[in-house]
Amino acid sequence: MASRTKLSRTRNIGIVAHIDAGKTTVSERILFYTGKSYKMGEVHDGEAVMDWMPQEQERGITITSAVTTCSWANHEIHIIDTPGHVDFTIEVERSLRVLDGAVVVFDAVAGVEPQSETVWHQADKYGVPKVAFINKMDRVGANYSGAILMMRERFNSLPLPIQIPAGEGEEFRGVVDLIGMQLITWDEASKGLTYGYGEIPAGLLPQAQEHRDRMIALLADVDDAIAEKYLDGGEIPGEEIIAALRTATIALKIVPVMCGSALRNKGVQPVLDAVVDFLPSPEDIPPVTGTNPVTKQQETRRSNDREPLAALAFKIMQDEGRKLTYLRVYSGRIHTGDELYNASRGRKEKVARLLKMHANKRERVEEAVAGEIIAVMGLKEITTGDTICDEAHPILLEPIEFYEPVISLAIEAKTPADQEKLTVALGKLVEEDPTLRVKYEDETAQTVISGMGELHLEIITDRLLREFNARVNVGKPRVVHRETIQKRAESEGIFERELGEKRHFGRVRILLEPRGRGEGIEIVRRLAEGTAPPEEFLAAAEEGLHEALLSGVIAGYPVIDVRVVILDAPVKEGEATALGFKIAASAAFREGCLKADAVLLEPIMLVDVMTPTEFMGEVIGDINARRGEVQAIVPKGLVSEIRARVPLKAMFGYSTDLRSATQGRAVFTMQFFAYDSA
């Protein structure tokens, strides 16, 4: 039996899913049943506790991941409710990076939707154990076994149902617990607060028995102790099944599957039991690894408050103008007033306050220990992905990967006073959101903001006005392009000039070669033996090439998928300088691009449309009209899923057109796929 330390009774979990599967509704029920909130907020009323931003309440969606803490069965559960919209994927990515487990919510009617597939793969990437909750069992068309079948087809993990529904659609009245072989029903009058266990109705018993046998047979495949008892034909006690499920879930071999209807207040408490029973505590996860910045050796930190401090800043927020940093503490402890060392920046900073968060409310605490998620005030220089550690035992944890923006928008302040506010506001928003980029264009005197999608930029401009009172004029969204070359070309750059008192000379000959899509940039040296110039000149030439790659010859967009080979760099004694080589290499690159048939690339998006089958013809016709390529059509009962690749430029305003073509019944998601020829 695991030790009953505070750490073993801690769970750090995220609630993740496709947009509209009911994540926030599940979170609200969890807060209500654990006594954290006295009334249930509903997303459709704009009253959800976890959706506290005005933009979230108006749109009925989650935009920013909210952190809260509650307790269940003598366990402390830290929950992050994450967004489902693809424009805010970074929120999910950085949350999964610091969480130990996840509850993945699915819609019983739609099954596995595109964004739920994305978040599942993100969880797999970070090795996060999962439990699945199939929600909306009360809706017409709900199909529990169909949803599980889709999970089997789409994911590497093995979904293992530990419950079956008692009825589906309008007949849904409760769930059958296959471990204890009991029927669980909820009292509607108490909003599901009271629930009871009873006998399984005779009509359901054979089905429940069959599912239980299948559950134990699947569990026997991954657990030797269960396999022995199963083969002997002996009865297996519930505690042993739970222990085996826990081991297999943490080892990422299985995913326990449950069902219910969060909106009808049915099925949420067993999910909390599953979080406690099957998801890992910080003690159950492998020690976190990082690099010692001094020795460059790999080091580990176990989840223990006696080890040296190691924490990762996974989210920055502006709170009434002050910077709030969310940290996941992996080892050691932090006290109010401590001086912390930021290993990523090589700076020391002081903790002003430690706060336990409940969405946007807070509770002051004096210390945070290993395994906790805490908000810190007073850290000024920190950014997302930085490592906080003990200066005597420095460690750099693996940083968080960010996505490149695909869409940009020109904005300009309405008045000079607004310009000042705009500069400050954008600085704060960029700190908060690593997928937001800001660039000032001198020629047009406009500020260009780039992000993950139309909704992302709409929320940013809305926040500029509401939170920072910066009024802006907004241009039309523009696509962020890239450039590349189509053939091999050799070129030479020569720089010879007097600057100040000094004469600078540089000469570089290069070969440009196109690479496959997505293969990136490669700079190689292929100089004849004995002709290589000093290393400082070659390094300067490479620096010049890297700078030249940032703006291509067609429209100044970054150049991608090119191999640059340095063939020759002769030195003129007494006149050759690093500056000369840097400028010569840059000039050679620009000339080479012109010779090598430079071409503009545009972002191609993966578009997933869920449409009632009768509108399939209109939807496919519209995709073709937008220069899209349909990749697959997957029938799912009354609806069909159409997967296509479409240029981003053709997708502006698509949601309105799709709604009018399908009487508002189709939904779509899109995410970046690759850059390709315009």
Side-chain angles (χ1 to χ4, degrees):
M1 187 68 189
S3 67
R4 308 314 292 152
T5 60
K6 180 174 185 290
L7 205 54
S8 72
R9 295 197 312 275
T10 300
R11 300 286 180 274
N12 292 311
I13 64 156
I15 297 186
V16 297
H18 184 88
I19 191 164
D20 253 3
K23 285 178 312 306
T24 302
T25 308
V26 171
S27 304
E28 293 299 319
R29 299 304 181 269
I30 287 174
L31 297 181
F32 181 64
Y33 298 140
T34 56
K36 195 73 191 178
S37 49
Y38 64 92
K39 81 185 232 322
M40 275 187 252
E42 299 296 2
V43 176
H44 49 262
D45 296 335
E47 289 181 355
V49 175
M50 301 296 265
D51 285 352
W52 55 270
M53 285 171 71
Q55 293 87 345
E56 296 177 311
Q57 292 167 355
E58 285 163 15
R59 291 169 177 81
I61 61 168
T62 305
I63 291 167
T64 176
S65 45
V67 181
T68 192
T69 304
C70 58
S71 50
W72 182 258
N74 200 21
H75 283 64
E76 188 174 283
I77 304 175
H78 303 269
I79 299 172
I80 298 187
D81 174 34
T82 64
H85 197 288
V86 69
D87 282 15
F88 308 104
T89 300
I90 184 62
E91 287 286 337
V92 184
E93 179 93 15
R94 60 181 171 187
S95 301
L96 287 170
R97 169 75 172 79
V98 297
L99 290 171
D100 305 330
V103 176
V104 190
V105 182
F106 294 95
D107 181 328
V109 181
V112 177
E113 296 173 274
Q115 189 61 14
S116 44
E117 217 169 319
T118 306
V119 295
W120 191 282
H121 294 315
Q122 282 174 313
D124 281 349
K125 172 173 148 189
Y126 292 119
V128 177
K130 299 167 278 294
V131 297
F133 178 64
I134 296 179
N135 190 22
K136 305 192 180 185
M137 285 305 305
D138 59 317
R139 280 183 54 199
V140 177
N143 185 347
Y144 185 59
S145 51
I148 291 169
L149 191 65
M150 283 176 76
M151 289 166 73
R152 249 186 213 130
E153 287 167 358
R154 300 276 179 93
F155 305 137
N156 294 333
S157 330
L158 176 67
L160 184 67
I162 59 168
Q163 292 178 347
I164 59 167
E168 291 184 347
E170 289 169 0
E171 303 290 307
F172 177 67
R173 60 186 187 281
V175 301
V176 174
D177 169 25
L178 298 176
I179 300 170
M181 284 302 275
Q182 288 172 305
L183 175 72
I184 313 173
T185 50
W186 281 263
D187 171 39
E188 308 232 346
S190 69
K191 293 190 172 174
L193 204 53
T194 51
Y195 58 105
Y197 294 83
E199 298 258 322
I200 300 171
L204 256 179
L205 202 55
Q207 191 189 345
Q209 198 58 58
E210 185 193 325
H211 275 90
R212 188 177 201 266
D213 290 347
R214 199 179 303 157
M215 172 184 82
I216 291 171
L218 285 169
L219 203 48
D221 287 345
V222 294
D223 189 287
D224 295 343
I226 296 283
E228 265 181 50
K229 290 199 173 179
Y230 177 65
L231 293 170
D232 293 344
E235 185 53 41
I236 303 168
E239 306 84 73
E240 288 184 28
I241 295 176
I242 289 172
L245 279 166
R246 179 180 182 81
T247 308
T249 304
I250 293 172
L252 304 176
K253 289 178 181 170
I254 62 150
V255 177
V257 184
M258 291 164 289
C259 60
S261 165
L263 194 61
R264 299 274 166 270
N265 310 315
K266 293 176 182 175
V268 175
Q269 291 94 335
V271 173
L272 283 164
D273 291 336
V275 165
V276 167
D277 289 342
F278 309 134
L279 291 181
S281 75
E283 286 184 336
D284 297 321
I285 58 167
V288 65
T289 57
T291 312
N292 183 319
V294 181
T295 64
K296 302 290 183 253
Q297 296 295 310
Q298 282 272 319
E299 289 189 11
T300 59
R301 296 277 188 275
R302 285 181 309 117
S303 194
N304 188 318
D305 55 14
R306 290 184 295 281
E307 291 248 327
L309 173 68
L312 186 79
F314 69 95
K315 183 175 163 74
I316 309 285
M317 256 179 72
Q318 297 304 324
D319 180 69
E320 293 165 3
R322 287 171 303 181
K323 191 167 171 178
L324 196 62
T325 307
Y326 284 91
L327 293 180
R328 162 69 201 261
V329 186
Y330 285 104
S331 61
R333 45 180 70 220
I334 301 172
H335 298 90
T336 304
D338 277 0
E339 199 169 56
L340 303 180
Y341 180 64
N342 182 337
S344 309
R345 315 244 154 246
R347 299 268 173 86
K348 288 184 191 173
E349 302 213 51
K350 198 162 186 181
V351 176
R353 278 185 202 169
L354 290 174
L355 304 164
K356 225 174 221 183
M357 299 303 286
H358 174 45
N360 62 335
K361 299 182 182 67
R362 69 213 34 191
E363 173 196 336
R364 280 181 77 161
V365 291
E366 287 308 306
E367 74 161 0
V369 296
E372 292 192 338
I373 289 172
I374 196 84
V376 184
M377 276 191 148
L379 309 181
K380 294 184 175 64
E381 304 276 329
I382 200 162
T383 62
T384 305
D386 283 1
T387 302
I388 294 293
C389 61
D390 177 352
E391 196 177 1
H393 304 90
I395 190 169
L396 267 174
L397 303 176
E398 183 193 339
I400 299 170
E401 288 175 26
F402 301 129
Y403 298 91
E404 285 301 310
V406 293
I407 185 169
S408 58
L409 197 63
I411 57 173
E412 56 189 18
K414 289 191 174 178
T415 66
D418 286 322
Q419 181 59 51
E420 278 180 37
K421 289 178 191 164
L422 180 64
T423 310
V424 172
L426 285 174
K428 290 185 171 178
L429 288 172
V430 166
E431 271 192 339
E432 204 174 290
D433 183 350
T435 55
L436 177 68
R437 303 275 199 286
V438 176
K439 192 169 87 182
Y440 185 74
E441 290 194 350
D442 291 326
E443 298 157 30
T444 56
Q446 285 177 321
T447 303
V448 176
I449 57 174
S450 306
M452 301 301 292
E454 284 183 274
L455 180 64
H456 185 197
L457 296 184
E458 185 190 314
I459 299 292
I460 294 293
T461 50
D462 193 25
R463 288 184 66 191
L464 286 173
L465 180 61
R466 287 201 198 185
E467 288 173 40
F468 302 97
N469 200 18
R471 294 170 309 144
V472 291
N473 295 320
V474 180
K476 276 203 163 69
R478 291 185 311 187
V479 171
V480 178
H481 289 81
R482 292 284 183 270
E483 296 182 21
T484 192
I485 57 169
Q486 299 183 85
K487 64 179 192 187
R488 289 166 58 114
E490 259 191 50
S491 63
E492 187 173 59
I494 299 173
F495 181 77
E496 214 168 345
R497 193 176 297 170
E498 264 186 43
L499 296 171
E501 300 291 303
K502 194 166 183 209
R503 187 163 182 77
H504 293 270
F505 173 82
R507 184 171 171 184
V508 178
R509 190 161 60 85
I510 60 169
L511 166 69
L512 295 183
E513 296 177 322
R515 301 185 80 195
R517 288 291 160 268
E519 288 184 15
I521 299 291
E522 188 184 15
I523 296 178
V524 289
R525 301 173 181 181
R526 207 180 287 157
L527 297 116
E529 216 169 301
T531 65
E535 177 59 33
E536 67 163 312
F537 293 160
L538 274 178
E542 286 184 3
E543 192 186 332
L545 289 170
H546 279 295
E547 282 181 17
L549 282 158
L550 295 175
S551 65
V553 294
I554 302 173
Y557 288 109
V559 179
I560 59 168
D561 301 336
V562 173
R563 180 182 290 109
V564 187
V565 184
I566 302 175
L567 298 173
D568 194 16
V571 175
K572 203 175 194 179
E573 283 304 324
E575 290 184 15
T577 62
L579 179 68
F581 275 86
K582 182 178 172 179
I583 297 172
S586 183
F589 179 79
R590 295 189 72 77
E591 189 198 322
C593 281
L594 292 168
K595 284 185 183 172
D597 282 1
V599 63
L600 208 55
L601 301 177
E602 64 180 337
I604 306 296
M605 310 303 278
L606 279 180
V607 179
D608 248 294
V609 185
M610 289 281 202
T611 174
T613 307
E614 67 256 38
F615 299 115
M616 216 161 69
E618 288 93 327
V619 173
I620 291 171
D622 187 43
I623 287 171
N624 291 335
R626 293 171 191 269
R627 297 187 292 131
E629 281 176 32
V630 175
Q631 303 290 310
I633 299 167
V634 186
K636 295 181 176 178
L638 299 172
V639 294
S640 290
E641 179 185 1
I642 299 166
R643 297 182 186 184
R645 291 179 190 163
V646 191
L648 175 61
K649 203 187 320 183
M651 289 301 292
F652 292 142
Y654 183 60
S655 52
T656 312
D657 294 350
L658 182 67
R659 277 201 295 269
S660 57
T662 60
Q663 298 170 6
R665 289 165 62 195
V667 291
F668 83 100
T669 58
M670 69 172 180
Q671 60 198 63
F672 175 70
F673 170 63
Y675 278 99
D676 218 331
S677 307

